[in-house]
């Protein structure tokens, strides 16, 4: 009997020891990695770094982000913070349509769980719809027209776009238009 108790005690210690010695995720290292990725992503877009390298930088950032997603799933706010989560979005947003389509459902699930920002999801959803040749929902995507001027890519149910934008945490489209020097008037019909 004592021998059996001793055996059970030893097994318990071994099991708990293994449980507590399992690899812990170093979120600090992941957040640091995401900061480096974000810095590279944004420097080319803000004119701080050569735009000629943008495609190369985007592809190397994507390799790293896909490795992280492959290992941990979509990296939500509670795992890497709001900024880290936004970095994941930025890299996917700046990738090709097939990659955007691949990760849109994961981001939607993350949004539903409160782990991603609605505004980020809205931008990615609009980008995917535009890539598919469909009308965007939130009016976040801008294109150049034949005169070389910026204008909004076609918007589904445009007269109600501000209602959708508000729910997604986006500013009214009239204010957003000014950022691109677009003179915009919301249609009434």
């Amino acid at each position: 009997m004592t021998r059996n108790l001793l055996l059970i005690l030893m097994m318990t210690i071994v099991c708990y020891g293994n449980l507590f010695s399992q690899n812990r995720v170093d979120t600090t290292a992941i957040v640091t990695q995401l900061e480096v990725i974000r810095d590279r992503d944004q420097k080319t877009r803000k004119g701080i770094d050569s735009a000629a390298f943008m495609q190369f930088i985007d592809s190397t950032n994507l390799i790293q982000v896909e490795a992280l997603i492959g290992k941990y799933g979509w990296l939500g706010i509670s795992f890497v913070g709001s900024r880290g989560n936004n970095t994941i979005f930025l890299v996917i947003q700046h990738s090709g349509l097939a990659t955007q389509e691949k990760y849109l459902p994961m981001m939607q699930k993350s949004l539903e769980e409160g782990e991603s920002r609605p505004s980020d999801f809205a931008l990615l959803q609009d980008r995917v719809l535009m890539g598919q040749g469909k009308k965007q929902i939130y009016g976040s995507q801008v294109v150049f027209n034949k005169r070389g001027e910026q204008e909004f890519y076609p918007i589904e149910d445009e007269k109600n776009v501000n209602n959708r934008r508000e729910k997604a945490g986006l500013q009214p489209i009239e204010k957003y238009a000014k950022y691109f020097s677009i003179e915009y008037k919301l249609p009434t019909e």
Side-chain angles (χ1 to χ4, degrees):
M1 177 91 161
T2 306
R3 187 175 177 173
N4 287 342
L5 285 175
L6 187 56
L7 185 59
I8 291 172
L9 179 62
M10 286 175 55
M11 288 176 49
T12 303
I13 290 170
V14 169
C15 288
Y16 277 113
N18 286 340
L19 178 67
F20 292 119
S21 68
Q22 289 179 356
N23 294 338
R24 302 241 187 244
V25 176
D26 186 355
T27 55
T28 303
I30 295 169
V31 169
T32 301
Q33 181 182 4
L34 289 172
E35 275 301 316
V36 171
I37 290 169
R38 181 188 194 89
D39 185 55
R40 284 194 312 257
D41 177 87
Q42 292 300 294
K43 276 185 176 179
T44 57
R45 286 167 173 81
K46 293 181 178 178
I48 299 169
D49 205 350
S50 175
F53 296 105
M54 188 181 300
Q55 189 173 8
F56 174 76
I57 290 169
D58 287 351
S59 66
T60 58
N61 284 347
L62 181 60
I63 289 168
Q64 293 180 72
V65 164
E66 284 193 308
L68 289 169
I69 293 172
K71 187 170 185 175
Y72 303 109
W74 189 268
L75 286 78
I77 293 169
S78 65
F79 188 68
V80 292
S82 182
R83 190 170 168 90
N85 176 260
N86 179 254
T87 300
I88 298 293
F89 151 74
L90 287 171
V91 171
I92 301 302
Q93 177 84 340
H94 298 149
S95 66
L97 178 60
T99 302
Q100 294 166 354
E101 289 173 328
K102 176 181 177 181
Y103 291 110
L104 184 66
M106 287 178 100
M107 188 175 188
Q108 182 169 8
K109 184 175 187 284
S110 178
L111 173 68
E112 291 165 359
E113 294 169 351
E115 288 292 324
S116 290
R117 298 187 319 196
S119 57
D120 290 347
F121 179 77
L123 271 64
L124 183 57
Q125 187 172 30
D126 274 357
R127 180 74 57 96
V128 167
L129 289 169
M130 183 177 77
Q132 294 170 338
K134 299 175 183 174
K135 290 183 177 183
Q136 61 179 321
I137 297 171
Y138 299 96
S140 65
Q141 302 302 299
V142 173
V143 295
F144 286 96
N145 61 25
K146 293 176 183 176
R147 297 181 306 277
E149 301 165 333
Q150 292 185 355
E151 66 183 17
F152 287 107
Y153 185 79
I155 303 168
E156 184 71 38
D157 186 25
E158 193 170 353
K159 69 180 183 216
N160 293 306
V161 70
N162 278 336
N163 295 332
R164 295 188 298 275
R165 290 179 65 85
E166 183 179 2
K167 289 177 185 171
L170 297 169
Q171 63 189 358
I173 196 166
E174 298 87 350
K175 188 172 183 177
Y176 184 63
K178 290 178 183 177
Y179 178 78
F180 299 99
S181 301
I182 297 173
E183 291 187 32
Y184 180 82
K185 184 169 169 51
L186 191 66
T188 54
E189 292 185 26

